[in-house]
């Protein structure tokens, strides 16, 4: 078995992955984070593809698996799609999917337990908000546009829908248009749902990013704000 490995480092102009032989003792899958030799270094990378076809060139053995299923297959497919859609090198796209501390095999800090906070009493939906929420819940579609001026109560609709999804043991991703708005959105949803969300944005430190990533990956975090 042979594996194409993707790293966050640039390999070459015409080559974006490295091919290694998978030892027979190693049970490997697409998405695993592995360690391999490269010249005089030891690098880490994600298994992008597996093949039983022997390359025409000499291959070295992978060293070990650092983390199984660090990325899921659908994430791997998304990485490939983004490369084609946005003409972005694979190594740069990978950086969006996995924290630097993990891909470089830094010490992994155990994710902190998701804290519970005292839930504030939430506003009762008015008739129009209730109608919107019910229409979304019973619809077979998965894309909706909620139109309303500032202060019309759209956020209450989002809060109610998030509460429904979390009650079904699903995760909710809330995208904020500006990082500067993140604190007030966090405060609003913390009080409304009684949980502290995981936050993902460019202002986080590497340890904060790693902690959020681990909690989201393990399904420990039900609300993600990005």
């Amino acid at each position: 078995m042979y594996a194409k490995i993707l790293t966050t480092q640039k390999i070459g102009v015409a080559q974006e992955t490295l091919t290694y032989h998978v030892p027979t003792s190693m049970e490997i899958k697409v998405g695993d984070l592995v360690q391999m030799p490269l010249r005089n270094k030891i690098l880490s990378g994600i298994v992008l593809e597996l093949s039983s076809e022997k390359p025409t060139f000499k291959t070295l053995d992978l060293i070990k698996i650092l983390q199984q299923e660090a990325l899921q297959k659908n994430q791997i497919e998304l990485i490939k799609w983004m490369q084609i859609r946005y003409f972005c090198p694979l190594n740069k796209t990978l950086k969006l999917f996995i924290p630097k501390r993990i891909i470089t095999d830094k010490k992994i800090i155990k994710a902190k337990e998701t804290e519970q906070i005292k839930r504030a009493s939430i506003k009762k939906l008015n008739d129009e908000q209730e109608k919107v929420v019910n229409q979304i819940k019973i619809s077979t579609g998965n894309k909706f546009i909620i139109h309303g001026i500032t202060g019309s109560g759209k956020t209450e609709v989002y809060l109610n829908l998030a509460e429904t999804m979390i009650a079904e043991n699903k995760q909710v991703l809330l995208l904020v248009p500006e990082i500067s708005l993140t604190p007030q959105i966090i405060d609003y949803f913390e009080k409304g749902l009684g949980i502290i969300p995981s936050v993902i944005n460019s202002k986080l430190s590497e340890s904060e990013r790693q902690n959020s990533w681990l909690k989201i990956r393990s399904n420990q975090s039900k609300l993600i704000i990005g």
Side-chain angles (χ1 to χ4, degrees):
M1 184 71 71
Y2 298 87
K4 285 188 177 181
I5 309 299
L6 174 63
T7 75
T8 54
Q9 297 186 23
K10 183 177 180 180
I11 302 301
V13 176
Q15 181 183 359
E16 294 197 281
T17 60
L18 298 167
T19 302
Y20 287 85
H21 175 253
V22 181
T24 54
S25 60
M26 191 178 291
E27 294 185 10
I28 200 169
K29 297 184 293 295
V30 170
D32 286 353
L33 177 63
V34 296
Q35 196 176 68
M36 66 279 188
L38 179 62
R39 300 185 181 93
N40 297 322
K41 299 179 181 178
I42 301 295
L43 292 183
S44 304
I46 294 290
V47 178
L48 198 68
E49 296 177 14
L50 290 170
S51 174
S52 58
E53 185 176 349
K54 185 177 181 180
T56 56
F57 47 85
K58 182 181 177 181
T59 56
L60 299 176
D61 283 358
L62 292 174
I63 297 174
K64 63 180 179 179
I65 298 175
L66 295 173
Q67 188 168 346
Q68 293 183 324
E69 295 183 285
L71 294 180
Q72 298 177 1
K73 286 186 178 180
N74 61 347
Q75 292 176 301
I76 297 294
E77 293 305 314
L78 181 57
I79 288 174
K80 294 178 180 178
W81 179 85
M82 289 176 66
Q83 177 206 26
I84 297 171
R85 180 67 175 82
Y86 299 107
F87 302 100
C88 181
L90 284 172
N91 69 299
K92 289 187 177 181
T93 308
L94 179 61
K95 294 177 183 179
L96 303 175
F97 284 75
I98 191 166
K100 182 179 178 181
R101 290 178 67 98
I102 292 180
I103 197 70
T104 55
D105 193 28
K106 298 294 184 183
K107 182 180 179 182
I108 296 179
I109 303 169
K110 185 179 178 182
K112 298 177 182 178
E113 294 294 323
T114 301
E115 298 178 61
Q116 298 292 323
I117 60 175
K118 186 177 180 180
R119 184 174 181 176
S121 57
I122 59 175
K123 299 177 183 177
K124 181 178 174 60
L125 298 181
N126 60 35
D127 292 342
E128 192 173 356
Q129 291 169 324
E130 193 78 47
K131 182 180 178 181
V132 170
V133 168
N134 290 335
Q135 284 181 334
I136 292 175
K137 287 180 179 179
I138 65 175
S139 175
T140 56
N142 60 4
K143 296 179 180 69
F144 307 92
I145 296 178
I146 301 174
H147 178 70
I149 63 173
T150 301
S152 60
K154 298 187 297 296
T155 309
E156 284 297 327
V157 171
Y158 305 147
L159 179 65
N160 188 282
L161 292 170
E163 182 182 32
T164 300
M165 294 298 104
I166 292 171
E168 295 176 4
N169 200 32
K170 296 178 181 178
Q171 289 179 305
V172 174
L173 172 61
L174 184 67
L175 297 179
V176 182
E178 296 179 26
I179 289 181
S180 60
L181 298 176
T182 302
Q184 68 188 66
I185 293 295
I186 290 174
D187 182 66
Y188 189 87
F189 277 79
E190 278 184 350
K191 291 177 179 177
L193 298 174
I195 59 175
I196 295 179
S198 290
V199 178
I200 291 288
N201 61 42
S202 59
K203 297 297 184 181
L204 299 183
S205 67
E206 285 300 327
S207 60
E208 288 172 329
R209 186 183 302 275
Q210 176 186 285
N211 186 61
S212 290
W213 186 86
L214 290 171
K215 287 165 66 176
I216 294 167
R217 180 177 179 272
S218 65
N219 200 30
Q220 181 182 337
S221 182
K222 296 299 182 184
L223 177 64
I224 304 103
I225 296 179

